Amino acid sequence: MPDVSIAPSILSADFARLGEQVREAEQGGADWFHVDVMDGHFVPNISLGPLIVAAMRPLTRLPIEVHLMIERPERYLSEFINAGADRVIVHVEASVHLHRAIQAIKELGAQAGVTLNPATPLVMLADILPEVDLAMIMSVNPGFSGQRYIPASTTRVRRLREMLDGIGSPALLSVDGGVTPENAAEIAAAGATALVAASAIFNAGAPIAQNIARLRSAAGRR
Ligand code: DX5
Ligand code: ZN
């Protein structure tokens, strides 16, 4: 069984030293980068845009995924994919025409991911699951890094695992928010194949590579 993948979210990186930190994470064994895009409408915070993706693109050979926490994400798919995003994750709550958005991402040549807020019933994902390359459980309310993991998320990971297995989907199952070496094992055991982490990687005291290694060994294999 492969290791659980580790995806550093650059939201907690030191942006004055972004290039250095991206290289450090890549050398430290990161599997891909996660870029959190917030518009101040879908979530209260405003964060990163296509310029950051374009700036990162020449710095790493790893895939870059963007997590769009914006209203009507279909308006910006091509901008992010042209900037170098390999995968685009959209929220079921943000797009009335989710199926169309997922098809558009794939037609633009990227992988498609889908996610949902902690209070959104998982059934909202059910009919789009056969179409996606990644399904993600939000384990905090989106908008900020450094929040505490919502314990009920683990049950949601387990149920999403059953849904994916039930249709024979090879999609990645990732978990985003409040992931730490303390809860990584429980999340992986519930069926996650990827962990997104910002503070536990960029803001945990130890060097980035060490933080990644700690998460990876805590998560183990699956
Ligand atoms: C939250 C973002 C997360 C966030 C994770 O809205 O989607 O990706 O950066 O941060 P931590 O790992 O600190 O909870
Ligand atoms: Zn995210």
Side-chain angles (χ1 to χ4, degrees), residues 9 11-12 34 36 38 67 69 138 140-147 176-179 196-200:
S9 154
L11 195 58
S12 292
H34 179 97
D36 287 306
M38 307 178 184
H67 173 192
M69 288 161 274
M138 283 307 303
V140 297
N141 287 292
F144 303 92
S145 57
Q147 303 182 81
D176 184 15
V179 174
V196 175
S199 355

Side-chain angles (χ1 to χ4, degrees), residues 77 81 86 88 99-113 128-133:
L77 301 175
I81 293 166
D86 299 283
V88 180
H99 187 276
R100 182 181 289 153
I102 296 293
Q103 295 313 315
I105 293 168
K106 294 202 277 194
E107 276 160 25
L108 289 162
Q111 288 194 5
I128 200 69
L129 278 187
E131 309 291 332
V132 302
D133 302 290

Side-chain angles (χ1 to χ4, degrees), residues 174-189:
S174 88
V175 177
D176 184 15
V179 174
T180 65
E182 285 70 42
N183 58 25
E186 154 189 333
I187 299 169

Side-chain angles (χ1 to χ4, degrees), residues 40-182:
H41 291 274
F42 181 70
V43 290
N45 200 5
I46 297 178
S47 61
L48 314 169
L51 277 178
I52 288 284
V53 176
M56 282 175 72
R57 191 59 289 172
L59 301 177
T60 176
R61 288 209 296 265
L62 295 180
I64 298 173
E65 74 180 7
V66 296
H67 173 192
L68 297 183
M69 288 161 274
I70 64 177
E71 284 178 3
R72 294 173 53 215
E74 52 281 354
R75 294 172 298 164
Y76 291 100
L77 301 175
S78 59
E79 278 193 59
F80 281 99
I81 293 166
N82 290 338
D86 299 283
R87 180 162 53 235
V88 180
I89 305 172
V90 291
H91 270 260
V92 301
E93 303 89 353
S95 185
V96 176
H97 296 290
L98 184 63
H99 187 276
R100 182 181 289 153
I102 296 293
Q103 295 313 315
I105 293 168
K106 294 202 277 194
E107 276 160 25
L108 289 162
Q111 288 194 5
V114 73
T115 188
L116 74 187
N117 291 334
T120 303
L122 281 179
V123 68
M124 296 294 287
L125 285 184
D127 292 352
I128 200 69
L129 278 187
E131 309 291 332
V132 302
D133 302 290
L134 174 147
M136 187 168 86
I137 294 289
M138 283 307 303
S139 40
V140 297
N141 287 292
F144 303 92
S145 57
Q147 303 182 81
R148 212 181 281 276
Y149 181 82
I150 298 171
S153 308
T154 306
T155 307
R156 283 163 66 79
V157 174
R158 201 169 294 124
R159 285 168 47 215
L160 180 54
R161 176 81 272 153
E162 282 167 12
M163 289 165 75
L164 289 169
D165 290 351
I167 58 167
S169 166
L172 293 160
L173 196 175
S174 88
V175 177
D176 184 15
V179 174
T180 65
E182 285 70 42

